[in-house]
Amino acid sequence: MPQETLLKVSMIDVFHSSLQVLWNVSLTIKAGEIVALIGTNSSGKSTLLDTISNLIHPIKGSIDFEGKSITTLEPYETVDLGISQVPEGRGIFPDMTVLDNLIIGSYNRKARPKREQNLQMVYDLFPRLGERRSQLGNTLSGGEQQMLAIGRGLMSAPKLMLLDEMSLGLSPLVVNYLYEALREIKERGITIFFVEQNVRRSLAEAETAYILERGRVVLSGPVAELREEEEVRKAYFGV
């Protein structure tokens, strides 16, 4: 049975002030997929995630979620529909406890009735957060802060999670642990679209990938095919 389209981005142009960052970007994410967005620094990856979250609005093109246009919605309305973003740099509240950081992620209309259920899910995925629920965010290690950022995203009861540079600055051991958690999140029915600098890891974890260069999608497809693309091998693997 074919997977249903969850998110469709169609020919969007996006500006920061007077500077154009994305040109004619299109992509499709199926429900239940793990999809990677690959590209060098300043290629527009974070801007694309921010546009899907409606932190930025495109000046051209459209974004559909579950078959309905979300192109002009406000960010809180986007979260309400089931899109959650975990930003680069984690963005936790350092002077609030772990528990309060998590609870603040559950204030949208659909998530509030599921707060206790989602809190238990987060503690099941990341037992350290349960152990440290009364600690302030700024007392956590970098890896624990990333767990907290992901956990806060899960508290909004998302259908689609957008993750920006999840592994940045973390040890390989912690990164492996976080990717194990992502696979478990997928098993719980949540679709994942992630940005990752480590191309090898991206192509190992994702089923589908999009490669963004200078604000344009230059290649896309199943990762098994992209691994064999000569352009990908030369640009990212040096062979």
Side-chain angles (χ1 to χ4, degrees):
M1 186 174 178
Q3 294 169 292
E4 293 183 1
T5 296
L6 184 66
L7 180 80
K8 185 174 183 180
V9 176
S10 303
M11 302 292 287
I12 61 169
D13 285 356
V14 180
F15 281 73
H16 279 305
S17 299
S18 60
L19 178 67
Q20 187 165 0
V21 181
L22 299 177
W23 285 262
N24 294 322
V25 169
S26 296
L27 61 85
T28 300
I29 296 176
K30 304 288 187 183
E33 277 190 307
I34 296 182
V35 180
L37 180 62
I38 299 167
T40 57
N41 287 334
S42 302
S43 60
K45 303 185 302 297
S46 295
T47 296
L48 179 54
L49 295 193
D50 287 347
T51 306
I52 294 169
S53 295
N54 280 312
L55 296 168
I56 308 169
H57 294 297
I59 66 158
K60 190 198 82 173
S62 62
I63 303 172
D64 294 341
F65 184 68
E66 294 188 312
K68 297 179 181 178
S69 176
I70 64 167
T71 314
T72 60
L73 295 186
E74 294 299 320
Y76 74 89
E77 295 174 305
T78 309
V79 173
D80 231 12
L81 289 176
I83 298 177
S84 175
Q85 183 172 353
V86 180
E88 181 182 354
R90 299 153 199 159
I92 67 165
F93 296 97
D95 297 322
M96 293 174 61
T97 66
V98 167
L99 178 58
D100 286 342
N101 265 276
L102 292 172
I103 287 175
I104 214 166
S106 67
Y107 276 104
N108 65 303
R109 177 174 51 87
K110 291 184 178 178
R112 283 195 296 271
K114 302 176 182 177
R115 180 176 292 165
E116 292 305 316
Q117 174 187 337
N118 288 334
L119 192 59
Q120 189 56 55
M121 175 181 66
V122 171
Y123 289 157
D124 288 344
L125 280 169
F126 302 118
R128 288 188 221 178
L129 296 183
E131 295 164 6
R132 291 157 173 73
R133 69 187 73 188
S134 299
Q135 289 184 217
L136 297 180
N138 61 11
T139 67
L140 303 180
S141 69
E144 290 164 349
Q145 288 185 17
Q146 188 63 70
M147 294 174 205
L148 181 55
I150 295 170
R152 185 182 58 193
L154 288 169
M155 290 296 293
S156 68
K159 299 173 184 176
L160 172 65
M161 285 194 78
L162 312 174
L163 294 107
D164 197 353
E165 300 288 6
M166 178 183 74
S167 66
L168 194 65
L170 302 179
S171 71
L173 191 65
V174 172
V175 171
N176 288 339
Y177 181 80
L178 292 174
Y179 273 108
E180 286 176 15
L182 284 197
R183 290 191 286 271
E184 189 168 339
I185 291 168
K186 181 202 170 185
E187 291 302 312
R188 293 172 182 261
I190 298 170
T191 303
I192 295 167
F193 185 35
F194 73 94
V195 166
E196 175 61 78
Q197 283 284 349
N198 186 325
V199 176
R200 291 181 187 274
R201 192 61 189 254
S202 297
L203 297 181
E205 297 291 343
E207 300 153 85
T208 303
Y210 289 83
I211 297 179
L212 201 62
E213 289 185 5
R214 296 180 182 180
R216 293 176 170 86
V217 173
V218 294
L219 281 172
S220 64
V223 294
E225 296 177 9
L226 289 178
R227 286 193 199 103
E228 302 305 317
E229 283 277 354
E230 186 176 354
E231 290 178 57
V232 176
R233 291 164 66 87
K234 285 182 178 178
Y236 295 102
F237 299 134
V239 295

